[in-house]
Amino acid sequence: MFKTLSIETDINVAPVNWLRGDIIDRVTESCYWSVTDAPELSSIRMAARHSWKLLSADLISDSRNIKKLLKMDRDKEEVSMAVHRIGKTLLLDEFPIERYIPQRQEKMTKKKKKKNKSSTHVNTISKFLYHTILHNSYITAPESNVVARKNSLSSSDIMVGMGDPLSKITLEVPQILDTKLYPPRDYNRTVYWDFEDIQMLLGNNMPIFGGGEYPAISLKLRDMKEPINVLTGIDCWLDNLICNVPELAMCWHLDGFVQGYELYKTEEIPNLENCKFDPVVIKDLAGNVLKFLKARCVKEGHTYWLYRAKGDDIVKLYDLSSICTGMNLNEINPFSTPVAMLCFKVTKSTPSPPPWRC
């Protein structure tokens, strides 16, 4: 069964198994996943690996992008995403406009300082996960990379674990998308999620433990100086729904010393003190967002820019083919090459119709 760390365990101190063994990549990916934005082009690489899903999926994305969209009515932070349309499927990617628009370079410098702070947090989470792994001495791995998920919290058919990282897809991308700038991009699991009749293929790296009394349980590390709020609650609730995990273990620490754990059923999260929210509102928002994107992102093979300024209530959508001029990109849409390559791959993998016979 899942075992908790002892009170006052110092997670600032690296355990003996830190950065050792065959789980290094999986833990690293989980750590970065918890504090960083989704990497660029991740949806295109995911679609390239699972091109047959383009026939049935409404959305393909990193799960963090979906959570960001579903928190827009409460979270007033800036939202910037690229939306690609391939057939009936929409692919969502992070669109860091600081890297594309020179006028935003000053803000980019501020974000770099924030990333340095995130690196320290990644280090803390990494040591915490290794402490937990050493204490539990196992992680259950899923049987396949693609796991079907329904919006059901039954634990009888749960496949749990950090999983095996997906192998990389080689795509010719513009040099401006430098792969060295980002942490590992592969996902520990690729989840096919049915949420309110919206079919989504999502990449996810959330650490999940399981066994014995707890068939599947997600694990979060939280500073006692930062109590749970509505955004935290929605984030944890969506994570568990996406991966079909029935429970959440919240580990509280103070300056790196474990203070205790709190266990929550997934269905209890919307009613927790200080983070109450209505799941029906989130579900309605999901349907409205999909309708909005499907109605406006209509051109096959085009990339759109979904943008909302910080503190604003207005969401704007632009066709990138009409606004790239003057963005110091040599008047080339930076997504045109990978999107075109994906369209070519999908066309090659689609079986030809049988010859017509009278």
Side-chain angles (χ1 to χ4, degrees):
M1 62 178 287
F2 173 72
K3 297 179 182 178
T4 60
L5 300 177
S6 302
I7 303 297
E8 295 298 331
T9 297
D10 186 1
I11 58 176
N12 297 307
V13 177
V16 293
N17 63 336
W18 193 46
L19 304 182
R20 297 181 182 179
D22 59 357
I23 58 172
I24 293 177
D25 290 339
R26 287 177 281 167
V27 174
T28 301
E29 289 152 11
S30 293
C31 293
Y32 276 113
W33 182 84
S34 64
V35 297
T36 60
D37 291 326
E40 298 165 60
L41 298 178
S42 60
S43 72
I44 294 178
R45 289 193 302 278
M46 204 186 317
R49 275 193 57 83
H50 309 288
S51 55
W52 69 93
K53 288 295 183 183
L54 284 171
L55 303 176
S56 58
D58 295 305
L59 290 170
I60 296 179
S61 177
D62 186 300
S63 60
R64 286 168 294 189
N65 292 330
I66 300 300
K67 292 192 297 179
K68 191 177 293 187
L69 289 179
L70 297 184
K71 292 189 295 184
M72 279 198 303
D73 63 329
R74 292 179 177 270
D75 189 355
K76 297 305 179 181
E77 288 298 316
E78 180 182 79
V79 175
S80 179
M81 295 185 193
V83 185
H84 323 284
R85 177 146 196 162
I86 309 294
K88 82 177 192 71
T89 305
L90 299 176
L91 286 70
L92 304 183
D93 280 313
E94 186 74 15
F95 184 73
I97 56 179
E98 294 86 1
R99 296 187 49 211
Y100 296 97
I101 303 178
Q103 292 85 340
R104 295 291 294 270
Q105 288 300 317
E106 182 179 347
K107 290 188 177 182
M108 187 176 180
T109 302
K110 293 179 181 179
K111 279 199 170 185
K112 283 184 178 179
K113 293 180 180 179
K114 186 177 180 181
K115 283 187 177 181
N116 291 334
K117 186 176 180 180
S118 296
S119 299
T120 303
H121 189 41
V122 167
N123 208 30
T124 302
I125 295 175
S126 174
K127 292 175 182 177
F128 167 67
L129 288 178
Y130 273 99
H131 273 290
T132 304
I133 291 167
L134 182 65
H135 201 54
N136 284 271
S137 73
Y138 66 88
I139 292 180
T140 309
E143 297 174 6
S144 63
N145 284 328
V146 180
V147 183
R149 299 285 189 227
K150 291 283 185 179
N151 187 19
S152 163
L153 296 180
S154 171
S155 61
S156 59
D157 58 350
I158 291 176
M159 299 160 68
V160 301
M162 301 186 84
D164 295 323
L166 303 177
S167 59
K168 295 185 181 297
I169 288 296
T170 301
L171 293 175
E172 294 180 13
V173 299
Q175 290 183 352
I176 191 168
L177 302 179
D178 187 355
T179 57
K180 294 180 181 179
L181 296 178
Y182 294 94
R185 295 184 175 187
D186 291 334
Y187 297 106
N188 290 324
R189 70 188 66 80
T190 307
V191 179
Y192 196 66
W193 187 39
D194 182 350
F195 184 62
E196 297 299 298
D197 295 326
I198 302 173
Q199 315 294 324
M200 291 181 265
L201 183 67
L202 304 177
N204 185 279
N205 280 339
M206 180 176 69
I208 302 174
F209 292 80
E213 184 181 350
Y214 304 100
I217 187 168
S218 61
L219 183 61
K220 304 280 186 178
L221 180 65
R222 190 78 180 175
D223 193 327
M224 292 195 70
K225 300 173 184 176
E226 301 175 3
I228 296 179
N229 54 35
V230 173
L231 295 178
T232 306
I234 295 175
D235 197 76
C236 294
W237 180 71
L238 287 173
D239 274 337
N240 276 18
L241 282 186
I242 289 170
C243 295
N244 202 14
V245 177
E247 291 186 275
L248 162 69
M250 184 74 73
C251 177
W252 295 95
H253 77 93
L254 186 61
D255 298 327
F257 290 88
V258 173
Q259 301 299 300
Y261 288 75
E262 291 181 329
L263 298 180
Y264 308 108
K265 299 286 186 182
T266 300
E267 61 268 25
E268 296 172 349
I269 296 176
N271 297 312
L272 294 179
E273 187 177 357
N274 298 324
C275 71
K276 294 182 184 295
F277 62 92
D278 188 349
V280 175
V281 174
I282 305 296
K283 294 173 183 178
D284 290 342
L285 180 60
N288 292 337
V289 168
L290 179 62
K291 289 177 183 177
F292 171 79
L293 293 176
K294 289 245 177 182
R296 289 164 175 78
C297 302
V298 295
K299 295 183 180 179
E300 179 80 16
H302 273 230
T303 295
Y304 297 81
W305 177 25
L306 178 74
Y307 179 71
R308 190 197 65 183
K310 183 175 181 178
D312 203 345
D313 292 324
I314 300 174
V315 178
K316 302 175 183 179
L317 192 69
Y318 305 93
D319 188 333
L320 278 182
S321 61
S322 66
I323 65 170
C324 280
T325 302
M327 288 179 66
N328 198 27
L329 290 173
N330 298 322
E331 301 184 355
I332 297 176
N333 182 342
F335 298 97
S336 58
T337 299
V339 170
M341 291 179 66
L342 177 59
C343 289
F344 177 72
K345 179 179 177 66
V346 171
T347 302
K348 284 186 63 177
S349 63
T350 302
S352 303
W356 178 262
R357 292 183 182 181
C358 297

